[in-house]
Every structure is written in C-alpha cells, then in structure tokens.
Amino acid sequence: MMRRISYVGIIFLLLNIQGVVAYQKAVDTLKEDSYKFYAGKFYENVADSTKAAIYANKYLSKAKTDHDTIKIADGYYFLQCITKREISHKYSDSIIALTKTRSTEFYPSLAYYNKARKYYNEGNFKKSFDYFLKMNEDAKKHNNTVFEYASKRSMGILKSRIGEHEEALETLKDCYAYYSKSKERTPKDYLSVLFSLSDSYNLNKKLDSASVINILGYNESVLLKNEEYNYHFILNEGINQYSKANFTVAKDSLEKVITILEENGDKANLSMAHFYLGKTLFSLNRKSEAIESHKKVDEIFQEISEIMPDNRENYEILISHYKKIGDKDNQLKYIERLIRVDSILNSNYKYLIKNVVQNYDTPRLLSEKQEIIDSLEEERSTNTTQITVVSLLLAFSLGGVGYYYYNQRQYKQRFLKLLDSIKLDVIKTRKEEEVSKDKLGGSTISQNTLDHLFTQLHQFEKKQGYLKPNINAKDLAKSFNSNSSYLSIVVNTYKRKSISQYINDLRIDFAIEKLKGDPKFRKYTIKAISQEAGFNTAEAFSKTFYKKVKIYPSYFIRKLEKQPISFNQKTHKN
C-alpha cells in the first residue's frame, strides 16, 4: 500500500531558522538594509515567489558583500524554497559546498532535506533515502532531535516504498514513541506517523495491530482537533478490513469514506477508495457493481492524471473483465489507458517501478493491443462485407457471395505469395549493377563513384546494416564516405524508391524470411519482432508491413503457425 497523505511535514523549520519566527513582528522597526528586515520580508511574501525572490536576493547580496558564509547559506536556502526543481538542487549544492567544513545546527541539514524532498517528488526514492540519511547523520552530530526524527520518519516511509517492510516498521515504531511525547505541540506530525505506522503494520501482515493504530489515530485526531485526518484512518481501516477478508465491514467503511472524500474533493484518495471498494465487491460476488467502481478509478485518473502504483492493478482487472465477455473495444481502451499509466508511473516512481511494472509483461501488453487492433479491423471489415453481401443478395442473389469469397481469396493469395517469395530488393551483383550515366538522367556522378556506391549498398545489405535503428540518408551516406545527394540519386533511380522506403523494405523482407524460417522467432511479441527488424515501435512495423504486403504481421504469423511442420524444414533448406 502506498502513502496517500504527505510523507513529511517540516515546513515549520523555515520559521525556526536563525530566529526568523520573530522577524515579522519587528520588521517595521528594523533598518531596511538589515538581514532581519530582508528575511522578514521574504517570509511575509513567501506565497508570491516573485516578490519573495527580491528579498532573498537582497539578503544574499548583502551576505556576499559581508563575506558571511552562514548568511550566504541563508540566502541560498531562501532561494531554494521558492525556485523550480533543477535550480533548487543547485542552491542546495551550493549550501552543502559552503558548509561542508563549517556545519551548524541547520546546515547542511536543510540542504540535505531539500534535495531529499525534491528527489522524493521525482520518484527517485533511492537518492531521496541517501539524502535523508545524510540529514539524519548531520542532525545527530549537532544533537538536533527535531531534524533527526524528521529525517528518520521519512526514511521509515521510504523503506516501505522500496519493500524493506520489517525495517520500516521498526523505524516508524521508534518515531511514534518520539512524536507521541509532543503530540499537542506537533499534532500533524504525530498523526502522520500514526498513519504511516498503520500502513506499515498492514504491509507486514500485522492486520490486528494496524486496526489498533487506525482506531487510535481516529480518536486522537478528534481529541487534537485535527479532524481532517479522520477520513484517512477510516480509509486505511477499510483497506485493512479488506486484507482481513472482512468484506462486509470493509465495504461499509469504504462507502462511508467515499462520501466524505467526494465532499472534500480529495480525488487521489477517492481513487484509492474506489479501487479497494471494487476489489471488495468482487469478493462479495457483486461483479457488476465492482466493475462500476473500478471504472470510477479510471474516470478520476482521466481527470487528475495522478495514480498510485497499487491502482495499476485496476486496469488489469478491467482488461481481464472485458476480455472474458468478448468486448474488444473496451479491452483495447483499457490496454491503452494502462500503457499511459505505466508511462506516468515510470516518470514518478522510477526506483519502485522496476518491481511493479515488470510484473506485467509490457511487450506482451503492446502485442495484445496490436492483435486486438488487427482483430477489430478484420471484424469490422468482415461486418462491412457481410452487410454488403446481404444487400447484394437482395438485388443480385449469389453475386454478393462471390464478392465475399473474392476478398478472402485475396488475403490467402497474398499469404501464399509470401511463402514462396524471396527478397526482391537485394541489389544485383557488380556486373549487373553497371548503370550508365544516361540511365541516371545525365547525372554528373562519375562511374567510379557509382561503382563505389553499388559496392557499399551491396555490403550494407549483405551485413544487414539496415537492422540498425534510426538510420537516415545523411548518416548512411557518411558511412559510405559519400554524400546523401549522390546516394539518393542512385537509390531513387535504380530502386525507384526513397532511401527510407528502401531501408524499410529490406527490414520487412528480413522479418518475413526470419518468420518463415525460424519457429522460435514467431513466438516473439510484435514489439520484439519490430525491434529485431530495426523499427522503433510495433505500430510503425505493422503499418509498414501492411503497406508492403497488404496483410498484417499478426495475421501472417497466425497463418504460418497453421502450416504443416514440413514447411519449416522446407524454408530452412532454401
């Protein structure tokens, strides 16, 4: 289970640095060129980054003039809080370099915190953990328990993210003992730890302990007057009851929290609630309601483009459902949505995604998508033909039947033609390649250059250089020690096609011959076959294959598999 609320909240640290908490009260009585004045104005305008940046830069400029290292670090710290990710990292690096040999209670800990937080938001959990660890070590050196436990809590949550559940639980239990002593002073941190601890118990399959913490968290949020946390614990307990197989109780909790989440507009948590409600309803054999709940998850994703890795399974459930009932349109729809989900997860959860997405064969997903597209096209073509046949039967009787079978024979003839075909685009031997200047339209290309280019093209085909992806005319000509103009003239005139068409035709010929002769190759996904043939995408490969031979690769492979075993032996001999 993943976090559904903020993983750490130490923004209050901004107001503790160098006594800034008192700056705003005294700002009107301070000199307009003092550090306290600039800092106070910075916090006064921190919600407006443009205005805040003015005072942060004035603070930094004064510090540089005074050659005050710690004040320079302050200036960089202000700027890192209000700038974009890439620049913020640079300010943090500057603080770390400045204070490496002159550390204080706050530096370089705050810079480590900023880098850890930025990497966390990027989904790079390993780097985030490394910087929280550095912050923790620096805080211990200065006996700064606030920073020590802020970083420790974050490390506990990150350990859960990367699958170290037992270690995470021990860390979060220690943090709970610390924050429970100051829950009235820092209630949000305390409740956040309880929420994380509940998740950790669930991940460690200690479900009764998770329930105890959820009940405690709910009651404490009421006592501490932070009732906005209530629904987080209700949601967690609903998920926990699902894990316990108490499906009726889980349903009641999840339906209750869905109402609250809809009222609060909390879309991310609403998505999580609908996901587990769908799984709960499936377990209660209420399949149609379950599917509606899973579809709600997708509707929310289309609205906010945010999804937790857990919810990826939502699309596998929908794909499986529509596959079972033979609804290929919806099956294709949710396959395409899952591909998009994978893209977003890969961007936001780089370290975790290796263990999540790779559990589902992405190349197989792309292959399944292509097969459905091919099947739908064939079905739609057949449906159109059948409608035509019915209409023609009314007018011309058996004429329409003949037209239908004509189309079927066309596909079959194209397939049979491919079985017996050989590569037609291989450039001829050197003696056969002698082309006069007249045939090249009066070109000024010398005979030596022509001979050289024919030789290079012959070697290019022989060594299967066309299988290298991203080939273009310029690079190919350069590898021939020639130029793209000469090469284009030769290929256009002799082959009567563009260089890109020439390369793609060679790739398709390669794929056809290998599919005919290698049964193992036919077991590959369309995506894998396309990569072997030098194409960047399965879609480009399928489109080019159809354009050249008028059937799709998936159709060709299916027909090959139905051929007698002796066919494979025959093609090997050839």
Side-chain angles (χ1 to χ4, degrees), residues 423-435:
K423 293 185 181 180
L424 301 177
D425 293 334
V426 177
I427 291 183
K428 298 177 182 179
T429 60
R430 200 160 188 179
K431 287 184 179 181
E432 296 171 319
E433 290 168 348
E434 293 178 0
V435 179

Side-chain angles (χ1 to χ4, degrees), residues 378-431:
E378 289 183 20
E379 286 179 7
R380 285 164 185 162
S381 176
T382 301
N383 289 338
T384 301
T385 303
Q386 288 173 344
I387 291 170
T388 304
V389 168
V390 171
S391 299
L392 289 173
L393 280 172
L394 295 173
F396 306 107
S397 184
L398 297 176
V401 175
Y403 178 74
Y404 172 78
Y405 282 105
Y406 171 78
N407 277 341
Q408 297 303 307
R409 286 197 301 272
Q410 287 289 97
Y411 277 103
K412 186 175 181 180
Q413 286 171 4
R414 290 167 187 166
F415 171 74
L416 293 174
K417 184 179 178 181
L418 282 180
L419 289 187
D420 297 325
S421 67
I422 60 173
K423 293 185 181 180
L424 301 177
D425 293 334
V426 177
I427 291 183
K428 298 177 182 179
T429 60
R430 200 160 188 179
K431 287 184 179 181

Side-chain angles (χ1 to χ4, degrees), residues 10-22:
I10 63 169
I11 297 302
F12 70 89
L13 296 175
L14 297 174
L15 300 179
N16 291 332
I17 183 170
Q18 307 294 336
V20 169
V21 71

Side-chain angles (χ1 to χ4, degrees), residues 267-280:
K267 299 291 186 180
N269 281 316
L270 183 61
S271 172
M272 183 69 74
H274 274 298
F275 171 63
Y276 277 99
L277 178 60
K279 295 185 71 168
T280 299

Side-chain angles (χ1 to χ4, degrees), residues 159-280:
K159 284 176 182 178
S160 287
R161 292 257 176 156
I162 61 179
E164 296 176 5
H165 300 314
E166 292 182 6
E167 290 184 28
L169 180 58
E170 293 307 310
T171 300
L172 290 169
K173 284 164 69 175
D174 185 35
C175 290
Y176 165 68
Y178 170 79
Y179 283 105
S180 61
K181 296 174 184 176
S182 57
K183 59 185 179 182
E184 288 81 8
R185 184 165 54 87
T186 57
K188 288 186 177 181
D189 293 327
Y190 169 63
L191 293 171
S192 176
V193 167
L194 281 176
F195 184 83
S196 300
L197 186 58
S198 165
D199 265 350
S200 188
Y201 274 126
N202 185 285
L203 290 167
N204 282 277
K205 308 302 180 187
K206 297 184 177 182
L207 305 181
D208 289 337
S209 296
S211 290
V212 169
I213 296 298
N214 285 328
I215 295 169
L216 174 63
Y218 182 89
N219 293 331
E220 291 282 57
S221 67
V222 174
L223 291 173
L224 295 170
K225 297 181 180 179
N226 275 268
E227 296 186 18
E228 67 270 20
Y229 274 79
N230 285 0
Y231 66 86
H232 289 109
F233 293 104
I234 298 172
L235 173 59
N236 242 17
E237 186 55 22
I239 295 170
N240 198 49
Q241 290 297 327
Y242 167 80
S243 299
K244 289 181 175 183
N246 294 331
F247 301 124
T248 301
V249 179
K251 174 181 168 295
D252 292 342
S253 293
L254 291 167
E255 287 180 338
K256 178 181 179 181
V257 80
I258 283 172
T259 302
I260 300 171
L261 293 169
E262 286 175 342
E263 292 173 356
N264 293 345
D266 188 343
K267 299 291 186 180
N269 281 316
L270 183 61
S271 172
M272 183 69 74
H274 274 298
F275 171 63
Y276 277 99
L277 178 60
K279 295 185 71 168
T280 299

